[in-house]
Amino acid sequence: MTGKRILIVDDDVKIVELIKLYLSRDGYKVYAAYDGNEAVRLAREVHPDLIVLDLMLPGMDGLQVCRTLRAKSDVPVIMLTAKTTEQDKLLGLETGADDYVTKPFSPRELAARVRAVLRRTTESVNVGPKEVVRGKLRMNFDAHEATLDGKLLRLTPMEFRLLGVLAREPGVVFSRARLIEKVFGYDFEGFDRTVDVHVLNLRRKIEPDPEHPRYIKTVYGAGYKFDGGGE
Amino acid sequence: MTGKRILIVDDDVKIVELIKLYLSRDGYKVYAAYDGNEAVRLAREVHPDLIVLDLMLPGMDGLQVCRTLRAKSDVPVIMLTAKTTEQDKLLGLETGADDYVTKPFSPRELAARVRAVLRRTTESVNVGPKEVVRGKLRMNFDAHEATLDGKLLRLTPMEFRLLGVLAREPGVVFSRARLIEKVFGYDFEGFDRTVDVHVLNLRRKIEPDPEHPRYIKTVYGAGYKFDGGGE
DNA sequence: CCCAATTGTTTAAAACCTGTTAAGAATGCC
DNA sequence: GGCATTCTTAACAGGTTTTAAACAATTGGG
């Protein structure tokens, strides 16, 4: 697959190495941090697709790290816990961990859970409401359907995602960089201008008069925004 | 808490009684079997919501019991194993156990895991009605039977589960990743595309015109959905 | 009004996605 | 053990989508 980035956070070097071995073998790019502060710093730097996080850490502990990270991003987290008590499990889940594994664990099981969580969350651009209605435009994210004036629109996956990002926050201007981040993903290596082409195609499908857009407006020098105002 | 049924399978009466005590206290209805054959028989009779299964059993051993049960139903299984070796753990997982607990165990821990597994599985696979009717298609999850236009469909276990997941939530698009998790289990190590083959085979069995599916629709770039709309 | 920066538009090639087939592996059944 | 069924992988064809590149049109500031 596409070499997803995984950050391991544990103060036990041996454990880190063990996990590293197994995850590298599965084709992931693996980064390691040995305390909470480093974890937060590294996470901001490499934008991992998933974090394996020990509960017990020197300095900032796992729960705190998890909360800090979650405040700024949606990165999925798998918690490593030493104790099996129910309390720990619940704490882990409450802070938003996507899964938890209790030590001692089998590295293969951890690898399986990593795969599972990644599978689950890779597509989770779908945060927010299931449906959005903006005037005659209606988007249903569960069904992956968009209708205009009741008529079904035939949108490509990119178009659907792009329109989704814009329509979810009407009036907000998104720079091309931000749109790329939200729609294409962090590791997109292409040009800004690709966004323009998608906007163009989108306009042709949803605008009554594509030359004078009513929904997707251009903000010169800034980006694009969805204009729900006119109704 | 609606008095879920739990089946305990262990040849050690003392252990059975111990577990029974704790689980009854949590409001579950507890049934017990002392060997593999009885377990299979009883499972068919009472349709338990979860099974606690000892790996070592007289007659049919735990693994075999687990496989036999899984072939016919989605009931979640917690394995009891005497050894902590990784091998046992993996064996348990490969046969589809949802969790495992090593002896000696604390009954409170087991009770916690029972709750956890029930929470997990209730939300995913076993939720919803015992029967679902979508146009000419009818699925009975108790009997593990599906009929189309009154005629019994010969579906494989995978096909049945796949169709079940889709048909339970018509209109909702499931990515391959989600389907894998719901149908194959989180520890599936294979490819997305396996889903496609199952969908193909399923279509050949349930679609009047498999080339232009009416029930299982493809959503390009997103996944598959069950379309109940046409009726 | 002119210029440079920014955006709109077109096209073709590259990348991607799904349907399908077939063969090998795993599983269950006598 | 051998047979039948089921599951998984691999490969290819065909279609769709995405991207890069180039050029045209527009914008806003000086």
Side-chain angles (χ1 to χ4, degrees):
Chain A
M1 320 286 173
T2 56
K4 303 229 167 173
R5 296 177 297 281
I6 297 179
L7 173 60
I8 306 171
V9 188
D10 198 317
D11 58 323
D12 186 334
V13 180
K14 277 197 161 177
I15 288 187
V16 170
E17 288 307 315
L18 181 68
I19 300 176
K20 218 171 186 171
L21 181 68
Y22 272 78
L23 293 184
S24 306
R25 207 188 287 168
D26 278 5
Y28 303 110
K29 271 189 150 182
V30 183
Y31 304 83
Y34 299 94
D35 65 62
N37 293 316
E38 202 185 338
V40 172
R41 194 189 56 69
L42 206 56
R44 294 222 167 107
E45 190 183 318
V46 304
H47 289 296
D49 298 287
L50 183 146
I51 298 178
V52 177
L53 182 59
D54 189 22
L55 188 64
M56 303 291 206
L57 283 176
M60 207 191 312
D61 82 350
L63 289 180
Q64 211 172 334
V65 173
C66 190
R67 281 196 211 98
T68 306
L69 293 171
R70 281 309 180 96
K72 285 280 172 186
S73 88
D74 300 327
V75 60
V77 171
I78 294 180
M79 279 280 208
L80 291 178
T81 67
K83 295 176 207 151
T84 320
T85 67
E86 194 188 347
Q87 267 206 343
D88 284 344
K89 289 186 185 177
L90 288 177
L91 275 173
L93 289 173
E94 270 165 18
T95 50
D98 294 81
D99 204 348
Y100 55 87
V101 174
T102 56
K103 292 182 184 178
F105 60 91
S106 113
R108 293 189 54 187
E109 190 196 329
L110 179 63
R113 300 224 182 189
V114 165
R115 275 192 301 277
V117 171
L118 278 179
R119 269 199 298 251
R120 236 189 291 148
T121 55
T122 286
E123 77 227 21
S124 77
V125 187
N126 261 356
V127 278
K130 293 182 173 181
E131 192 171 58
V132 152
V133 182
R134 306 276 177 246
K136 292 177 175 175
L137 179 74
R138 182 182 294 258
M139 295 191 75
N140 183 322
F141 298 100
D142 261 3
H144 252 258
E145 273 180 8
T147 58
L148 185 68
D149 218 355
K151 275 185 303 188
L152 189 67
L153 295 168
R154 286 183 39 91
L155 303 183
T156 70
M158 283 277 157
E159 286 161 10
F160 187 84
R161 268 181 284 166
L162 180 57
L163 185 57
V165 169
L166 291 170
R168 272 188 169 112
E169 299 181 69
V172 176
V173 178
F174 291 87
S175 68
R176 289 175 177 70
R178 191 125 185 73
L179 287 173
I180 282 175
E181 220 175 72
K182 290 213 157 203
V183 177
F184 300 62
Y186 267 111
D187 39 2
F188 179 76
E189 303 198 353
F191 287 125
D192 277 14
R193 302 298 312 282
T194 303
V195 175
D196 299 35
V197 177
H198 287 300
V199 168
L200 174 77
N201 294 328
L202 207 38
R203 279 175 173 158
R204 292 213 257 244
K205 291 182 182 177
I206 71 170
E207 296 289 356
D209 177 9
E211 314 254 330
H212 304 93
R214 181 167 132 201
Y215 292 111
I216 302 178
K217 300 248 166 103
T218 302
V219 181
Y220 191 94
Y224 297 99
K225 72 171 176 183
F226 188 93
D227 190 348
E231 150 55 358
Chain B
M1 308 308 170
T2 56
K4 303 223 167 175
R5 294 178 299 280
I6 297 180
L7 173 59
I8 305 170
V9 188
D10 198 319
D11 57 324
D12 185 333
V13 180
K14 277 195 161 180
I15 288 187
V16 170
E17 289 306 315
L18 183 68
I19 300 177
K20 217 171 185 172
L21 180 68
Y22 272 81
L23 292 184
S24 306
R25 208 188 286 170
D26 277 4
Y28 302 110
K29 271 190 150 181
V30 184
Y31 303 82
Y34 300 93
D35 66 63
N37 293 317
E38 203 186 337
V40 172
R41 194 189 53 71
L42 205 56
R44 294 217 168 112
E45 192 184 315
V46 305
H47 290 295
D49 297 289
L50 183 145
I51 298 177
V52 177
L53 182 59
D54 189 22
L55 188 64
M56 304 291 206
L57 283 176
M60 206 191 315
D61 81 351
L63 290 181
Q64 212 171 333
V65 173
C66 190
R67 282 197 210 99
T68 306
L69 293 171
R70 281 308 180 101
K72 286 280 173 186
S73 91
D74 300 324
V75 61
V77 171
I78 293 180
M79 279 281 209
L80 292 177
T81 68
K83 294 173 208 156
T84 320
T85 68
E86 192 189 347
Q87 268 207 340
D88 285 343
K89 289 186 187 182
L90 289 175
L91 277 172
L93 287 173
E94 271 162 18
T95 51
D98 294 82
D99 203 348
Y100 52 87
V101 174
T102 55
K103 292 182 185 178
F105 59 90
S106 111
R108 295 189 54 184
E109 187 195 333
L110 179 62
R113 298 227 184 187
V114 165
R115 274 194 296 277
V117 168
L118 278 179
R119 227 187 350 241
R120 242 192 286 149
T121 56
T122 293
E123 280 163 11
S124 57
V125 184
N126 265 343
V127 77
K130 302 281 186 195
E131 189 171 63
V132 151
V133 181
R134 306 272 177 248
K136 293 176 175 174
L137 180 74
R138 180 183 297 257
M139 296 190 75
N140 183 318
F141 297 100
D142 262 0
H144 248 255
E145 273 180 6
T147 58
L148 185 68
D149 219 355
K151 276 185 303 189
L152 187 66
L153 293 168
R154 287 182 37 90
L155 302 183
T156 69
M158 285 274 155
E159 286 161 9
F160 187 86
R161 268 183 280 165
L162 181 58
L163 185 58
V165 169
L166 292 170
R168 273 186 165 115
E169 298 181 71
V172 176
V173 177
F174 291 86
S175 68
R176 290 173 178 70
R178 244 172 235 296
L179 288 174
I180 282 175
E181 248 204 86
K182 292 210 162 203
V183 176
F184 300 59
Y186 82 94
D187 54 338
F188 179 75
E189 299 197 13
F191 283 120
D192 279 13
R193 300 298 312 282
T194 302
V195 175
D196 298 36
V197 178
H198 287 297
V199 167
L200 177 76
N201 293 329
L202 206 39
R203 278 175 174 158
R204 292 213 255 244
K205 291 182 182 178
I206 71 170
E207 296 287 356
D209 177 9
E211 313 251 331
H212 305 94
R214 179 168 134 201
Y215 293 112
I216 303 178
K217 299 248 167 101
T218 302
V219 181
Y220 192 99
Y224 297 99
K225 72 173 174 183
F226 188 93
D227 190 347
E231 153 60 355

